Amino acid sequence: MEVIIANMKDKTHEYRVSSGNKMELYFAILCGVFLLVGFIIQKLTSLSNWFFLSSYIISYFFGSYFITIEAYKKIIKGGFDIDFLMIAAAAGAFYINKWAEGALLLFLFSLGHALEHFAMNKAKKSIEALGKLSPKTALIKKHDKLEEIPIKNLCINDVIVVKPNTKIAADGVIISGSSSINQAPITGESIPVDKVFIDNKYHLPKFKDIDKKHIVFTGTINGDNSIEVLVLKLSKDSTVSRLIKMVSEVETQKSPTQRLTKKFEKWYVPLVILVVSLLCFAYLLIDESFNRSLYRAITILVAASPCALAISTPSAVLSGIARAAQKGVLIKGGRALEDLGEITTIAFDKTGTLTEGKPKLTHIIPLNNFDENEFIELVLEVESLSNHPLAKAIAKDIKTHYNIEPQNKASNANAIQGKGIRAIYNGNNVYIGNVKLMEDSGINVEPSIISKMVNLLENGHTVMIVAYKDKIIGLISVMDLPRKTAAATLKRLKEIGIKHMVMLTGDHQNVGDAIAKQIGLTEAKGNLLPEDKVAAIKILIKRDKKIAMVGDGVNDAPAMALSTVSVAMGAAGSDVALETADVALMSDKIENLPFVIGLSRASKRIIKQNIWISLGVVTLLVPVTILGLTNIGLAVTFHEGSTIIVVLNALRLLRFKMD
C-alpha cells in the first residue's frame, strides 16, 4: 500500500511540474496576446482609454502571475531576487503611464522564464528517462509454472524467467541459461556482454563479490536466449533505482562557480535596488521631470537584472550531468563536474583498475631437459589440489590453454604458509614455491635458475620453482596483466592534457615499474600500505593542488576520500562505490575516463562562456541606459535574449562527443 501511495505521489508531482511548465508558457502567450490587443486599440482606434487600459491590465495579470509567486516565496524568506526586480520595474512603468512598455517587459520576461524552464526541463528529462528503464512486470517461476506479477511484488530469492529480447526486471544472478545482455542503459557499454549461469546457486557470496559474468541488472536487455534469474535485490534497492535517486540529488550539490554567483547575487540585487531607488530622484540634480528620472531608473532596473547569470551555471551543470548519465557515468553534482575539468594529475589504484585484477599464467619453463607435456601435467595435478588464488589461476589457465583436465594423479597436498605447496605425484615428492621452500626441503637452487627468476621478477612476474624427485624441473610465473585498453586510455589522457599519471600499489616496486612501463604511466609507487597511499596523495596534492584518484570505490577508501575527485570503476551493483565516489563509472571500462574528463572540461568552458555573455550584456546595457540611449523594450529584448542564449549554449552539452 505504501509503495502504491508513493508512486501516486511521484506521478502527481510529475504531473504538477509538467502542467506548471505548460501553464507558465500559456500565461506568457496570453500576456503577449492582450498586449497586442491593447496596443492595436490604443494606436489604431478611437475607443475609450478604458478599452486598451483593460487589455493592458489583463496582460499584466498573465505576465506577472508566476513571477509574483516566485518573488513572494523569496521575500517571505528575507531575500530579493530577479523576479522582484522585474515586478518592481513593471509596477513603476504602470505608475508613469507606460502601460505598453510595462506589459512588454512582463511578456518578454515571462516568456523567457517559460522558455528557460522548458529548456532546463529538457536536460532533466534526459535524467528522468532512467526511470523508464525498469519494466513494469516480471515473469516469476513458481512450482514449474510461470506467473506475471508487478515488479514491486518481487521478493528476494524469487526466480524470474527473462525471455529473449525483453528487459530484465531485477538485479540478480543467472542460475540457468546464458545470453548476451545489452547493458548500455546502465553502464553505457555499446557492445552486449556475454553472461553465463553460476554453478553453485545455493552458496552465493555477497552480491558485490559475485563475478559480474553471472550478474544482471534491472533495465538491461536480454539477448536471443531465455535465462532464469535469482532475484537478489528488491526494486527499490536495484542499481537503476539507486542511480535515479542519486542523479536526482546532484542538483543540491552546487559547483564552486554556482556558489560564487549565488554570493554575488545576494549582494548585487540589493545594490541594484538601492541604486535604482537613488536614480528615481535624479530630477533633483539634473533638469528633467520626475517621470523621466523614474523611467530611466526602471530601464536600468531591467538592464542590470542578472537573469542570465543566475541560470548560466546550473543549466550547464545539469546538462553535463545528464550527458554523463546517458553514457553510464554518474557525476555527483557541480563540484565534482567542475573539479574534474581542472585535473592534470591522476592517481590510479593498480589491481582491478589498470590491471585485470586476476592473476594469469605467463610462463611455463621446463628445465634440465624435463619433458614439457609431463611438466604441464604435473603442475596441473598439484595446483588443482590447492585453494590458493594463484594455484587456482594456474590450474584454470592450463586447462584453458592446453585443453586438458587433471587425472587425480597427485595427492597429500600440504600448503606451507608463505612458501608454497608440497604434494605426492606418482609416488614422489613435488614442491612448488619460492627459494625458501626449496632450501628448507634440501633442494639446491643453482645460480643460473636464480638469474632466470630475477629476470622475470624485474619484469613484474611472480615466479615459482617446481621440484620433483628432489631436483628442480622448471619455473612457472603468474602476473596480474594490464587491461587491454589501459595503454590506449593513458595515451588519450596524455593527449587531452593529463600531465602526471601515478600508480599506487601494495605490490612490489618491480611489479609497479613493470606495469608502468607497459602501459605508459609517468610514475609508479609500490610496497604501499593503505596509510602510505594516503601520504602519497597528500604529497601529490601539495605538488599539483588538485588530483583525481581512480579505484574500485571500496579498497583504498581513505586515499580516495582525500583526493579532490574520487572516481570509482565498475560501480554497477556496488552500493559502496555509488555512495562514496564523486564520479562513478558504471561499467568496468577505464576507457570511459577520457570522455568524463573531456565532458567536465567542456562544461567548465561553457560555464565561463555563459558568465561572460551574461555579465557582458549587463555591462553594455547599464551605461547605455544611464545615458538614456535605450528604452525598456530594447533593454528587455537584450536582457531576455541573453538568458535564452545562455540556456541554449548549456544544452549543447547534451550532444557532447570526444574528438
Side-chain angles (χ1 to χ4, degrees):
M1 187 67 182
E2 290 178 1
V3 174
I4 294 172
I5 292 171
N7 288 340
M8 287 174 66
K9 285 181 178 178
D10 289 344
K11 289 184 180 296
T12 303
H13 174 71
E14 288 174 12
Y15 174 76
R16 284 175 180 168
V17 171
S18 178
S19 299
N21 288 339
K22 288 181 180 178
M23 191 66 72
E24 191 173 11
L25 184 58
Y26 294 154
F27 271 40
I29 292 170
L30 286 171
C31 173
V33 169
F34 282 100
L35 165 63
L36 181 62
V37 170
F39 185 80
I40 291 172
I41 293 173
Q42 183 182 14
K43 299 297 182 182
L44 302 179
T45 72
S46 56
L47 295 173
S48 168
N49 288 356
W50 279 107
F51 284 96
F52 67 79
L53 187 58
S54 298
S55 186
Y56 287 143
I57 290 172
I58 295 171
S59 176
Y60 261 68
F61 168 77
F62 284 118
S64 65
Y65 182 80
F66 284 98
I67 304 170
T68 305
I69 291 173
E70 290 293 323
Y72 175 73
K73 287 178 180 177
K74 293 287 175 63
I75 290 170
I76 61 175
K77 292 179 181 178
F80 294 91
D81 68 352
I82 299 147
D83 295 310
F84 173 78
L85 298 185
M86 293 300 100
I87 292 294
F94 193 89
Y95 175 77
I96 59 175
N97 295 326
K98 296 292 183 178
W99 305 297
E101 289 178 292
L104 177 64
L105 164 64
L106 290 174
F107 166 61
L108 290 176
F109 186 72
S110 61
L111 182 63
H113 230 262
L115 292 175
E116 172 192 311
H117 287 163
F118 174 80
M120 291 287 282
N121 198 43
K122 184 178 177 65
K124 288 182 180 179
K125 280 182 176 178
S126 296
I127 294 172
E128 290 167 358
L130 290 168
K132 298 177 182 177
L133 292 176
S134 303
K136 299 294 182 278
T137 61
L139 205 58
I140 189 171
K141 185 178 182 181
K142 283 186 177 179
H143 309 298
D144 293 328
K145 290 184 179 179
L146 298 181
E147 179 186 352
E148 191 170 9
I149 65 169
I151 61 166
K152 62 178 179 287
N153 293 343
L154 282 175
C155 299
I156 302 294
N157 293 329
D158 278 346
V159 175
I160 59 173
V161 175
V162 186
K163 292 185 176 180
N165 304 311
T166 60
K167 287 183 179 179
I168 294 168
D171 283 18
V173 60
I174 300 175
I175 58 172
S176 178
S178 60
S179 188
S180 291
I181 308 295
N182 179 358
Q183 296 192 144
I186 300 295
T187 65
E189 295 168 280
S190 58
I191 299 172
V193 180
D194 291 336
K195 303 278 184 173
V196 297
F197 67 90
I198 196 163
D199 290 325
N200 189 353
K201 64 183 179 183
Y202 298 107
H203 300 285
L204 294 173
K206 292 180 180 179
F207 185 84
K208 66 182 181 66
D209 295 327
I210 300 174
D211 193 316
K212 289 191 176 179
K213 69 182 179 182
H214 306 305
I215 290 290
V216 293
F217 302 111
T218 305
T220 54
I221 303 163
N222 187 22
D224 295 331
N225 299 319
S226 287
I227 55 175
E228 292 182 9
V229 176
L230 182 69
V231 177
L232 296 182
K233 287 192 177 184
L234 298 176
S235 175
K236 63 183 177 66
D237 298 321
S238 69
T239 297
V240 69
S241 295
R242 295 179 66 83
L243 186 58
I244 294 164
K245 179 177 180 291
M246 289 180 178
V247 171
S248 67
E249 290 173 352
V250 296
E251 291 177 76
T252 62
Q253 302 179 32
K254 299 188 186 303
S255 71
T257 308
Q258 223 170 330
R259 288 196 294 269
L260 188 63
T261 54
K262 281 293 178 185
K263 286 181 182 178
F264 175 75
E265 286 174 41
K266 183 179 178 181
W267 293 100
Y268 179 76
V269 172
L271 182 64
V272 169
I273 294 172
L274 177 63
V275 171
V276 167
S277 299
L278 293 174
L279 286 172
C280 290
F281 301 98
Y283 71 96
L284 297 174
L285 300 176
I286 58 178
D287 185 21
E288 66 181 16
S289 66
F290 169 70
N291 280 2
R292 178 62 190 163
S293 292
L294 184 58
Y295 182 79
R296 184 193 294 108
I298 292 167
T299 308
I300 290 171
L301 187 62
V302 174
S305 296
C307 295
L309 181 65
I311 201 65
S312 61
T313 305
S315 59
V317 167
L318 190 59
S319 296
I321 289 169
R323 177 58 181 147
Q326 291 171 357
K327 293 285 285 183
V329 180
L330 172 62
I331 301 178
K332 293 187 185 175
R335 185 191 66 79
L337 183 69
E338 283 198 37
D339 283 345
L340 193 58
E342 297 175 356
I343 294 294
T344 57
T345 299
I346 302 177
F348 294 91
D349 177 36
K350 180 186 80 73
T351 306
T353 301
L354 293 172
T355 64
E356 298 288 350
K358 300 172 185 176
K360 298 284 185 182
L361 180 64
T362 52
H363 290 90
I364 292 179
I365 308 172
L367 298 173
N368 299 322
N369 299 316
F370 197 85
D371 181 74
E372 182 177 0
N373 291 331
E374 187 178 352
F375 180 72
I376 292 167
E377 182 185 283
L378 180 151
V379 171
L380 174 61
E381 294 288 345
V382 174
E383 298 289 33
S384 296
L385 299 177
S386 173
N387 286 320
H388 192 281
L390 291 183
K392 285 184 174 181
I394 292 166
K396 180 184 175 183
D397 286 350
I398 288 177
K399 289 177 191 177
T400 303
H401 295 155
Y402 297 96
N403 196 27
I404 58 175
E405 292 291 333
Q407 303 299 316
N408 300 319
K409 293 181 180 180
S411 61
N412 298 335
N414 182 23
I416 303 170
Q417 186 67 33
K419 298 178 184 178
I421 186 173
R422 180 179 60 215
I424 302 297
Y425 176 77
N426 286 340
N428 295 288
N429 285 328
V430 173
Y431 299 91
I432 302 179
N434 56 23
V435 173
K436 182 66 174 169
L437 176 63
M438 300 301 137
E439 290 175 347
D440 290 349
S441 305
I443 299 170
N444 180 44
V445 183
E446 298 173 3
S448 60
I449 294 174
I450 296 291
S451 176
K452 286 184 171 65
M453 290 180 66
V454 168
N455 184 51
L456 289 169
L457 288 167
E458 287 178 348
N459 285 286
H461 300 267
T462 298
V463 187
M464 284 154 278
I465 305 170
V466 182
Y468 179 53
K469 295 181 181 179
D470 298 328
K471 291 183 180 179
I472 293 174
I473 62 169
L475 301 174
I476 54 174
S477 70
V478 295
M479 186 178 182
D480 184 10
L481 297 174
R483 289 174 179 267
K484 293 178 181 177
T485 56
T489 299
L490 297 184
K491 182 181 178 184
R492 186 73 180 106
L493 287 172
K494 198 173 291 184
E495 289 171 355
I496 64 174
I498 303 299
K499 297 176 182 177
H500 306 287
M501 291 175 282
V502 184
M503 180 171 68
L504 307 178
T505 178
D507 282 348
H508 193 278
Q509 186 65 49
N510 286 346
V511 175
D513 290 339
I515 297 289
K517 186 177 179 181
Q518 288 181 56
I519 63 179
L521 285 165
T522 53
E523 190 177 352
K525 295 179 181 292
N527 301 312
L528 299 181
L529 296 171
E531 55 267 32
D532 298 326
K533 292 186 179 183
V534 170
I537 292 292
K538 287 180 179 178
I539 292 169
L540 291 173
I541 290 175
K542 188 175 181 180
R543 186 188 74 183
D544 300 324
K545 308 304 179 191
K546 290 186 176 183
I547 74 157
M549 176 150 184
V550 185
D552 62 8
V554 182
N555 300 319
D556 306 313
M560 292 183 75
L562 186 63
S563 62
T564 313
V565 183
S566 58
V567 182
M569 287 184 53
S574 171
D575 295 345
V576 176
L578 283 173
E579 288 172 3
T580 59
D582 298 311
V583 177
L585 307 181
M586 301 306 289
S587 69
D588 200 30
K589 292 190 172 182
I590 195 172
E591 56 265 38
N592 284 340
L593 193 55
F595 168 83
V596 182
I597 293 174
L599 175 64
S600 299
R601 290 181 175 176
S603 301
K604 185 82 174 173
R605 190 163 55 247
I606 282 179
I607 287 170
K608 287 181 179 178
Q609 290 171 359
N610 284 352
I611 289 173
W612 279 109
I613 291 169
S614 53
L615 290 179
V617 169
V618 170
T619 305
L620 175 67
L621 276 180
V622 170
V624 170
T625 306
I626 290 173
L627 295 172
L629 301 177
T630 187
N631 57 34
I632 289 179
L634 198 57
V636 171
T637 301
F638 271 92
H639 182 268
E640 294 310 312
S642 67
T643 302
I644 293 170
I645 288 171
V646 158
V647 174
L648 293 177
N649 190 37
L651 289 178
R652 290 193 298 125
L653 287 169
L654 290 175
R655 295 186 177 182
F656 173 80
K657 292 180 181 178
M658 283 292 288
D659 296 331

